[in-house]
Amino acid sequence: MLTAGEILKDYREKQGIHLSDVEKQIKVRAKFLSAVEENNWNFFSSKIYITGIIKNYSDYLGLDAK
């Protein structure tokens, strides 16, 4: 079963979108986006922040955040 981070990374790469493009559009630093893609949850201090990033990132890619 794929994780949320793997799904986001896979879809982004298939679309040919660079992390820097996502960073500019959703105003979240690439280091945080990369941590989500790598499922590095210890990088974050709050679960709410993780949830918000995943929702915004999913919306940007046109994916269902659920």
Side-chain angles (χ1 to χ4, degrees):
M1 186 164 153
L2 294 174
T3 64
E6 292 168 337
I7 292 168
L8 292 167
K9 182 177 182 177
D10 183 56
Y11 195 80
R12 175 183 62 77
E13 289 177 343
K14 285 181 180 175
Q15 299 299 315
I17 301 170
H18 296 278
L19 270 182
S20 60
D21 297 328
V22 180
E23 177 182 38
K24 290 174 190 173
Q25 291 298 313
I26 69 170
K27 311 247 185 303
V28 174
R29 292 187 184 198
K31 66 181 181 179
F32 294 113
L33 298 171
S34 182
V36 167
E37 288 185 351
E38 295 170 7
N39 301 300
N40 184 3
W41 311 122
N42 294 326
F43 190 79
F44 301 95
S45 60
S46 169
K47 289 181 183 180
I48 293 171
Y49 193 63
I50 297 167
T51 304
I53 290 174
I54 291 173
K55 182 184 179 328
N56 289 336
Y57 195 174
S58 297
D59 288 346
Y60 173 73
L61 294 176
L63 297 170
D64 183 359
K66 293 178 184 175

